[in-house]
Amino acid sequence: MKRSIALRTATFLGFLFLYAPIISLVVFSFNENKLVTVWSGFSVKWYGELFANDQLINAAVLSLQIAALSASLALVLGTLAAVAIVRFRRFRGKTLMVGMITAPLVMPDVIIGISLLLMFVAMQNLIGWPAGRGMLTVIIAHATLGMAYVAVVIQSRLGDLDVSLEEAAQDLGATPTRVFFDITLPIIAPALVSAWLLSFTLSLDDLVIASFTNGPGSSTLPMVIFSKIRLGVSPDVNALASIMIGIVALGIIAASIQMARTRRRLIREGG
């Protein structure tokens, strides 16, 4: 009995430690006072201020575009790299390839940002591309980071895949390309979605790498928020964060409902 109470208490304190700041942020987004730590009444005026703030809105839209494009690019490159590592057991340079793919996982973001900045500057001097730094260079930088995470996720899923399914399709006359698109991709689809979402989140959350690789007019949302909070937290930032939290919460609820429906359907079909 005492052990059960202790476990429940520890669990409650753990969740309180994790979610109390988030709840506080959401509550104070409805604060009438401009000081985010002083409650003076309920108001939604900061949400109106948020949608009137072109800087924050433009930065949010830009960040979403960069995250979506970089995650898609990282998904393609990371999946191809994972297939090469898992399916082709031995080839020259495999060890080097694995090391280069996994290096961004353990390398500090500041090192990645500096190295990419130097590479972009050298490429501009040599071939004239990219012409300056902006949205394109940030997408390339984020795709480079996201590809490493995608490769690890897809590699682990491919390692558990039953190879006999692919071999049976090839025995029936399917080409390797058709086997990949008709057999392998549908089976690893959940891992592809997870890898894309992980890469999307990493890009949307990144501050350090984007700070090194962006240019004028391409400030992402984390960069704008970081520049604003150095002068004090603005209530419209709380409103923006609350909206993002609400979108994520709705996504989690929708995914949970869909998973529950799928589980019930499988139980009915199995029964």
Side-chain angles (χ1 to χ4, degrees):
M1 183 64 180
K2 292 182 178 180
R3 183 179 180 182
S4 176
I5 295 175
L7 289 175
R8 292 179 181 179
T9 303
T11 303
F12 173 77
L13 292 176
F15 279 109
L16 182 65
F17 176 78
L18 290 173
Y19 292 104
I22 297 177
I23 296 173
S24 174
L25 182 147
V26 174
V27 170
F28 277 97
S29 69
F30 297 99
N31 185 17
E32 185 180 5
N33 199 324
K34 188 174 182 179
L35 299 176
V36 296
T37 57
V38 179
W39 180 265
S40 60
F42 180 86
S43 176
V44 295
K45 68 177 182 179
W46 300 116
Y47 287 86
E49 293 286 340
L50 169 65
F51 290 106
N53 191 330
D54 293 335
Q55 183 185 23
L56 276 179
I57 298 299
N58 292 336
V61 172
L62 178 65
S63 293
L64 291 174
Q65 292 175 344
I66 291 175
L69 292 173
S70 63
S72 301
L73 179 60
L75 182 65
V76 174
L77 298 177
T79 301
L80 294 176
V83 171
I85 293 172
V86 175
R87 289 291 179 260
F88 300 94
R89 299 292 181 180
R90 295 179 181 177
F91 59 88
R92 183 176 299 178
K94 179 178 180 179
T95 303
L96 177 61
M97 177 181 175
V98 173
M100 293 180 66
I101 290 175
T102 56
L105 299 176
V106 296
M107 192 177 297
D109 288 348
V110 64
I111 302 299
I112 299 176
I114 292 175
S115 61
L116 288 172
L117 172 62
L118 296 177
M119 183 192 73
F120 290 142
V121 172
M123 289 176 60
Q124 183 179 0
N125 293 332
L126 290 175
I127 62 176
W129 183 89
R133 286 168 296 283
M135 180 179 177
L136 177 61
T137 54
V138 178
I139 290 174
I140 296 174
H142 285 179
T144 303
L145 176 64
M147 184 182 70
Y149 290 88
V150 171
V152 171
V153 173
I154 303 303
Q155 182 180 348
S156 62
R157 182 64 185 94
L158 287 173
D160 297 333
L161 182 64
D162 188 0
V163 186
S164 62
L165 297 175
E166 298 177 340
E167 294 175 348
Q170 291 177 349
D171 292 339
L172 294 173
T175 62
T177 302
R178 185 162 186 179
V179 169
F180 178 74
F181 284 101
D182 292 349
I183 304 298
T184 307
L185 281 185
I187 295 177
I188 66 173
L192 294 174
V193 175
S194 300
W196 189 90
L197 289 174
L198 177 60
S199 183
F200 179 87
T201 304
L202 289 171
S203 174
L204 193 63
D205 185 58
D206 176 70
L207 171 65
V208 178
I209 296 177
S211 298
F212 283 99
T213 56
N214 83 316
S218 60
S219 296
T220 60
L221 183 62
M223 296 176 60
V224 172
I225 292 177
F226 182 74
S227 64
K228 290 174 69 69
I229 64 174
R230 284 188 294 182
L231 301 177
V233 180
S234 177
D236 54 355
V237 174
N238 284 356
L240 176 62
S242 300
I243 292 175
M244 297 180 67
I245 292 171
I247 294 174
V248 172
L250 290 176
I252 294 174
I253 293 172
S256 301
I257 294 174
Q258 181 62 33
M259 290 174 61
R261 290 178 177 176
T262 304
R263 190 180 302 112
R264 288 195 297 267
R265 179 175 57 84
L266 292 175
I267 292 175
R268 287 196 303 267
E269 292 177 354

